[in-house]
Amino acid sequence: MSRKVTVGLLLVPGLALLVFGFLYPFITTLFAPPTIEDTSVLGRLGELVGDSFVLTVAARTIRVAVVVTVVCLVFGFPVAYLISRVPARWRGLLLAMSIFPLLLSNVVRTYSWLVILGRNGLISQALVALGLADEPVQLLYTELALVIGLAQLFMPMMIVTSYSSLSQVDFRLEEAARGLGASAGRAFRRVVLPLALPGVLVGATLVFAGSVTAFTTPMLLGGTQNRTLATLLYEYANVKLDWAAASAVALIMTVIVLVVSAVTTRLSGKAKVV
Amino acid sequence: MRRRPVLWGLAALALLFLLGPILLMVPVAFSSGDTIEFPPPGLSTRWFEQALDYQPFLDALRTSLLVAGGATLLALLIGVPATLVIQRYRFPGRKAIETLFLSPVIVPELVLGFALFQQLMVTLRITALGALLIGHTVLLLPYAVRVTGASLAMSDPALEEAARGLGAGPVRAFFRITLPVMTPGIVAASVLSLLTSFNNVPLSLLLTGPGMSTLPVEMLRYVEFSFDPVVAAVSTLLLGITVVVALVTERLVGFNKVFSQ
Amino acid sequence: MTPVVQLKAVTREFAGTAAVREVDLTVTRGQFVALLGPSGCGKTTTLRMIAGYLQPTSGTILLEGRDATRLPPERRNIGMVFQSYALFPHMTVAKNVAFGLQMRKVPAAQIRTRVHEALDLVGLAHLADRRPQQLSGGQQQRVALARAIAARPAVLLLDEPLSNLDARLRVQMRQELLRIQRETGITAILVTHDQEEALELADSMVILDRGRVVQQGHPREVFRAPRTRFVAEFLGYENFLDLPGRGRITIRPEHVDVVEHDAAPPAGGESVTGTVAAVRFRGTDCVVTVDVGGQNVLATTTNDSLRAGSPVRLFLPLDRAISLTGTDSVPGDGGQGTPSLQHQQESPA
């Protein structure tokens, strides 16, 4: 059997699946969905973009995703750095503890926040008990709840990607920089950070894209007041049955994710998000 | 080693933030009260009993297991041959093929779910179970290709050549040498795939039919109309199972190795 | 007697560039042949074609008299030792060695004795139950060798087998390799870029340059009479001089006599004058670099009064000077600019 035939046979099942179960439905839905009324996606997209409600939702989605990304960076990166520089026996445990939440469903992970952020939740009780609030505080169904829930969801990703790129940075480089007269902070900024940056960018992109497309968390913690593109898409598709609108929202969401991935892939050089 | 109080402080905060809420669910699940609250007014196991008696959850659990197992198997059967080609052959367009096989990860899952719902279920009249299997296999394919590919990339390409030189034909060389060398990668990919599929919400959300829905989606639906601790009880059970899976994975191939990819 | 391996006008191209051109090679039973040359000369490509991992673009490969040009590796009855050893990580040492015997359907009882024999031959019978990862580099090398010869292949192919060992172990393993080849009488083809290794091990040396055989013969012959500057340089010759009436010659520094610049030229040789450019003191003697009309010539001398700038005369005894009769240019080739090709450019599974 010739090499070409072998290669072909081995790839055919995968290619068939990707065409039938991914490319064909995906492209058809985004650009030419079968619609109930006779509206085209691009036409509906035009209407939606002209609609301030959709713009508000898109802006909220992006705003929340940016804040979540920053929060994950601020906490996740130092934790990753610590993990990469502690003795091996600590490293495994800290890494495992950071990763473990990824093994659980987002429903499970988000559910707890209902207990913590609700009107009778932990935080509300604490604030009242401390005299910081006169009456129970409702933190659920706010943008803050969204940020908290999503940050908890995606921080492990930030830690893991940062860690894997930080662990590639030889700690002796830092020692060399210190030996050449750099302070600890300077050695970190001038040597470690530039080397770890591509991995951190990849992590930030994953967090951002995950936050833009997350469904469970905005569904549970955002409520009807704080819709995001994902919950809006679900509503058009499943409740209002306006499939052209759902496709248009899907298109907006996909474009945001692809553009951000493309930009960071460019910025980070070789490191690829995919 | 220098002490790093600020870093350790941040790490403690981050881990509390990550793990605290998950652990908090356990006492809530054992509550005797009628709504989710902490601290619980008293302890009981009635919500666990109720959860295990709730037929939609049991049906959904069966679907979830079927879909996770089936999609993992399919993704490996389809992904391993592709990985073999991507890792061991050089031909024009190889990079493009690799990118194509990894590309489902960048597409929003909710969008893919919506697309499959429209094109496969509505237009082509494929059943919800069929659409779920196809969708989840597409979702898992990048993991299968990447994780088994990593184990293959680390092994010496001369291994297969050595087997051929010693008299093994291509098929025998694959089963006697390549497959065993890839086994840790296949185990890792399986664990990762099973969990990813089992936990998925956005992709499964719209791919439902009469009596056909996955467990996380059913849990989400339940929370939408009821605030009683049944879902906390299910979550606690899932947490327990996940801990067991994590420990077994650690024994088999190393927990961090599998889940840090 | 039928040659064990015979290559007839074998050519292999990668993307239109020939890595091996028109190579003819004959290896007889019991011979130890070394394919020698710098990286990119086509030696590994040639070996991989003999093993069946690559197909020639044109030409014929005969193994034990039968046309094997299109046979897959598993049907060629070869034993190959890889540069990386390629030991199966999921099998013990004994299982690794048994693999080739199992593939050839040797009865189990016989496999056991032959595995033991092979491991005994390389002195590793006591490590039969270890995993490859638990062995040192030298031990892994021996296992690879035992695995390759256990099934008594027609020819043993060695692809830079010693290059991953440290210098001391390398020299030691050469002796081992030679002993094992002598004891088993196996036909062997060795690919190496280390001329010392080839000189010491082989009874026939084939020097390749840009895909062509430039010289072959017994190592002693080749070493004493390199035909071209390329071969001479590769074997460590450093002095190259164009002498009027004699053409291009090479001579070892220790055979060049450094004499006073005004001394009369002795009979039986040529002499040239020049200026000392540099002196390196080595203890018992000095190596002087002499600028002869723009060309540097190295000579060893015990005269330690020479300084840079001293005018000297060099005496080149004719019985020591080697005439380089061949030219290095490859017909139909662009010259030095040929890109170096490595077999990794195409790697079939």
Side-chain angles (χ1 to χ4, degrees):
Chain A
M1 198 160 41
S2 88
R3 263 170 48 95
K4 276 184 189 152
V5 176
T6 315
V7 168
L9 280 179
L10 294 175
L11 285 178
V12 158
L15 292 175
L17 175 73
L18 286 170
V19 169
F20 180 70
F22 174 50
L23 295 176
Y24 154 71
F26 190 69
I27 291 167
T28 315
T29 291
L30 284 194
F31 299 104
T35 46
I36 296 170
E37 331 93 80
D38 196 26
T39 27
S40 74
V41 175
L42 291 178
R44 202 73 182 86
L45 181 67
E47 285 170 43
L48 289 181
V49 168
D51 179 350
S52 69
F53 174 65
V54 175
L55 287 185
T56 315
V57 171
R60 177 185 304 116
T61 307
I62 293 174
R63 185 169 59 237
V64 166
V66 167
V67 176
V68 169
T69 309
V70 171
V71 170
C72 285
L73 263 173
V74 168
F75 284 87
F77 184 73
V79 173
Y81 178 74
L82 179 76
I83 295 176
S84 74
R85 294 294 183 267
V86 293
R89 64 198 149 92
W90 283 105
R91 191 181 309 143
L93 186 67
L94 285 175
L95 194 59
M97 284 167 72
S98 319
I99 294 173
F100 180 77
L102 286 177
L103 276 59
L104 290 164
S105 173
N106 292 353
V107 179
V108 175
R109 293 168 67 193
T110 304
Y111 186 75
S112 324
W113 292 111
L114 297 175
V115 186
I116 298 170
L117 300 175
R119 195 176 292 280
N120 297 315
L122 264 186
I123 293 182
S124 174
Q125 289 175 33
L127 290 178
V128 172
L130 291 171
L132 292 170
D134 299 330
E135 52 184 45
V137 188
Q138 175 64 289
L139 291 170
L140 278 178
Y141 317 125
T142 60
E143 260 185 55
L144 177 66
L146 274 186
V147 169
I148 291 175
L150 290 170
Q152 195 231 11
L153 222 51
F154 293 115
M155 195 174 299
M157 245 183 219
M158 190 72 227
I159 295 178
V160 172
T161 43
S162 301
Y163 166 75
S164 66
S165 94
L166 277 167
S167 63
Q168 308 277 311
V169 180
D170 190 339
F171 70 92
R172 278 168 297 196
L173 291 181
E174 258 172 288
E175 291 177 354
R178 299 292 299 277
L180 291 166
S183 65
R186 237 174 120 90
F188 179 81
R189 276 196 308 278
R190 295 285 301 273
V191 178
V192 180
L193 203 55
L195 288 169
L197 207 57
V200 174
L201 264 177
V202 171
T205 311
L206 290 175
V207 172
F208 181 84
S211 303
V212 167
T213 59
F215 173 78
T216 311
T217 306
M219 184 76 189
L220 287 178
L221 304 183
T224 45
Q225 302 305 309
N226 288 282
R227 285 200 199 298
T228 63
L229 287 173
T231 48
L232 188 63
L233 164 55
Y234 177 69
E235 192 179 293
Y236 280 132
N238 209 44
V239 182
K240 293 187 175 162
L241 298 178
D242 182 350
W243 290 0
S247 286
V249 174
L251 196 60
I252 298 174
M253 211 156 103
T254 308
V255 166
I256 293 174
V257 171
L258 290 184
V259 166
V260 170
S261 311
V263 168
T264 39
T265 304
R266 249 332 237 298
L267 283 179
S268 63
K270 292 213 110 167
K272 281 189 107 183
V273 177
V274 175
Chain B
M1 178 113 312
R2 282 171 298 134
R3 293 246 224 42
R4 306 166 193 263
V6 178
L7 280 181
W8 279 103
L10 268 175
L13 266 179
L15 288 175
L16 181 71
F17 176 62
L18 287 179
L19 299 171
I22 296 171
L23 295 176
L24 190 72
M25 217 158 45
V26 180
V28 173
F30 283 100
S31 169
S32 58
D34 288 337
T35 59
I36 47 170
E37 58 190 311
F38 187 88
L43 295 178
S44 87
T45 55
R46 69 176 171 125
W47 299 112
F48 285 91
E49 286 153 25
Q50 195 153 330
L52 294 173
D53 260 356
Y54 186 59
Q55 197 55 37
F57 279 174
L58 298 177
D59 292 342
L61 175 66
R62 214 188 45 230
T63 307
S64 279
L65 290 175
L66 187 68
V67 169
T72 298
L73 192 67
L74 282 173
L76 284 172
L77 284 176
I78 292 170
V80 168
T83 308
L84 217 54
V85 170
I86 291 167
Q87 294 294 333
R88 288 293 201 249
Y89 287 83
R90 296 285 168 274
F91 57 93
R94 192 186 68 94
K95 268 269 123 184
I97 294 278
E98 185 177 10
T99 307
L100 177 64
F101 273 84
L102 297 179
S103 60
V105 289
I106 48 164
V107 172
E109 289 166 27
L110 185 66
V111 175
L112 181 62
F114 176 50
L116 292 175
F117 166 65
Q118 261 192 3
Q119 307 310 326
L120 300 191
M121 284 179 66
V122 176
T123 308
L124 297 177
R125 308 227 159 263
I126 291 177
T127 61
L129 184 64
L132 275 172
L133 270 175
I134 292 171
H136 279 237
T137 308
V138 169
L139 177 75
L140 302 182
L141 195 60
Y143 293 94
V145 168
R146 195 157 46 181
V147 177
T148 58
S151 72
L152 206 53
M154 277 191 309
S155 76
D156 184 355
L159 288 178
E160 285 96 1
E161 293 187 341
R164 298 290 299 275
L166 290 166
V171 176
R172 217 145 36 136
F174 173 76
F175 283 104
R176 291 288 302 266
I177 307 301
T178 317
L179 201 57
V181 166
M182 289 173 84
T183 302
I186 291 176
V187 172
S190 305
V191 177
L192 209 57
S193 298
L194 285 170
L195 286 170
T196 303
S197 167
F198 187 85
N199 290 334
N200 183 280
V201 169
L203 180 59
S204 312
L205 191 68
L206 294 169
L207 306 178
T208 52
M212 185 61 68
S213 173
T214 64
L215 185 59
V217 172
E218 250 347 275
M219 286 163 72
L220 195 61
R221 295 237 166 95
Y222 192 94
V223 178
E224 274 182 83
F225 65 79
S226 169
F227 253 38
D228 68 39
V230 162
V231 171
V234 179
S235 296
T236 302
L237 290 174
L238 291 178
L239 176 65
I241 294 168
T242 308
V243 169
V244 172
V245 169
L247 292 175
V248 171
T249 309
E250 169 68 16
R251 283 301 283 277
L252 283 181
V253 269
F255 178 86
N256 286 333
K257 251 207 250 154
V258 175
F259 295 107
S260 60
Q261 8 210 353
Chain C
M1 195 165 66
T2 338
V4 178
V5 177
Q6 205 171 7
L7 270 59
K8 289 180 181 168
V10 167
T11 297
R12 169 71 207 203
E13 290 173 1
F14 290 111
T17 317
V20 170
R21 321 159 191 240
E22 306 269 317
V23 165
D24 292 306
L25 178 71
T26 300
V27 183
T28 56
R29 197 162 301 285
Q31 227 183 356
F32 200 140
V33 176
L35 303 180
L36 182 66
S39 97
C41 73
K43 55 189 192 299
T44 297
T45 304
T46 306
L47 192 79
R48 291 173 63 80
M49 285 192 287
I50 297 172
Y53 298 125
L54 278 179
Q55 304 271 306
T57 310
S58 64
T60 312
I61 297 173
L62 300 174
L63 293 178
E64 300 185 290
R66 284 174 310 152
D67 186 350
T69 317
R70 304 283 157 204
L71 280 187
E74 62 268 24
R75 291 175 54 201
R76 293 193 181 209
N77 195 22
I78 50 147
M80 178 131 163
V81 175
F82 291 82
Q83 191 173 6
S84 60
Y85 314 139
L87 296 177
F88 307 135
H90 58 297
M91 297 182 187
T92 62
V93 165
K95 292 253 169 63
N96 263 279
V97 178
F99 190 84
L101 298 162
Q102 286 168 352
M103 294 301 122
R104 286 167 171 84
K105 305 216 159 46
V106 175
Q110 220 178 320
I111 289 181
R112 231 169 297 127
T113 48
R114 281 172 64 179
V115 166
H116 191 79
E117 270 169 31
L119 284 175
D120 229 13
L121 190 66
V122 298
L124 288 184
H126 59 295
L127 298 179
D129 295 325
R130 296 274 182 91
R131 292 280 175 133
Q133 307 87 287
Q134 299 170 299
L135 304 182
S136 71
Q139 288 168 335
Q140 291 185 20
Q141 219 281 322
R142 286 159 195 259
V143 175
L145 192 59
R147 183 177 71 178
I149 58 179
R152 297 181 194 140
V155 57
L156 174 64
L157 305 175
L158 304 149
D159 184 12
E160 305 258 10
L162 307 179
S163 61
N164 282 341
L165 301 176
D166 66 48
R168 210 169 50 89
L169 203 54
R170 191 152 57 216
V171 173
Q172 199 183 319
M173 272 309 291
R174 270 186 218 156
Q175 289 308 310
E176 276 288 296
L177 204 53
L178 199 58
R179 173 185 67 80
I180 289 163
Q181 196 264 340
R182 294 283 180 271
E183 272 179 34
T184 54
I186 196 169
T187 313
I189 302 177
L190 166 77
V191 157
T192 181
H193 63 267
D194 179 346
Q195 81 276 11
E196 247 183 68
E197 200 171 292
L199 290 170
E200 194 173 329
L201 290 172
D203 40 37
S204 177
M205 193 155 94
V206 178
I207 298 182
L208 289 142
D209 177 25
R210 282 168 279 161
R212 279 180 193 277
V213 175
V214 285
Q215 192 168 359
Q216 61 178 306
H218 192 277
R220 210 171 300 138
E221 269 166 49
V222 177
F223 189 74
R224 282 188 189 153
R227 242 171 33 80
T228 69
R229 176 168 178 159
F230 170 83
V231 175
E233 267 183 7
F234 197 75
L235 294 175
Y237 289 88
E238 291 165 295
N239 290 330
F240 298 95
L241 283 159
D242 288 312
L243 295 178
R246 294 201 173 277
R248 177 169 289 183
I249 63 130
T250 185
I251 187 164
R252 304 188 75 78
E254 58 270 30
H255 295 145
V256 179
D257 280 335
V258 185
V259 293
E260 299 292 316
H261 71 106
D262 48 3
E270 291 279 347
S271 78
V272 291
T273 54
T275 321
V276 174
V279 180
R280 257 187 310 137
F281 181 62
R282 291 200 306 192
T284 53
D285 61 1
C286 304
V287 180
V288 290
T289 309
V290 180
D291 179 352
V292 178
Q295 292 186 81
N296 281 340
V297 177
L298 297 177
T300 57
T301 176
T302 49
N303 177 355
D304 56 10
S305 66
L306 292 171
R307 294 289 174 269
S310 307
V312 290
R313 181 176 284 277
L314 299 177
F315 175 57
L316 316 165
L318 275 190
D319 56 338
R320 298 292 196 182
I322 298 161
S323 290
L324 302 172
T325 52
T327 50
D328 289 324
S329 67
V330 176
D333 172 61
Q336 297 290 353
T338 315
S340 60
L341 283 162
Q342 306 217 318
H343 70 269
Q344 283 88 345
Q345 290 201 336
E346 188 188 44
S347 63

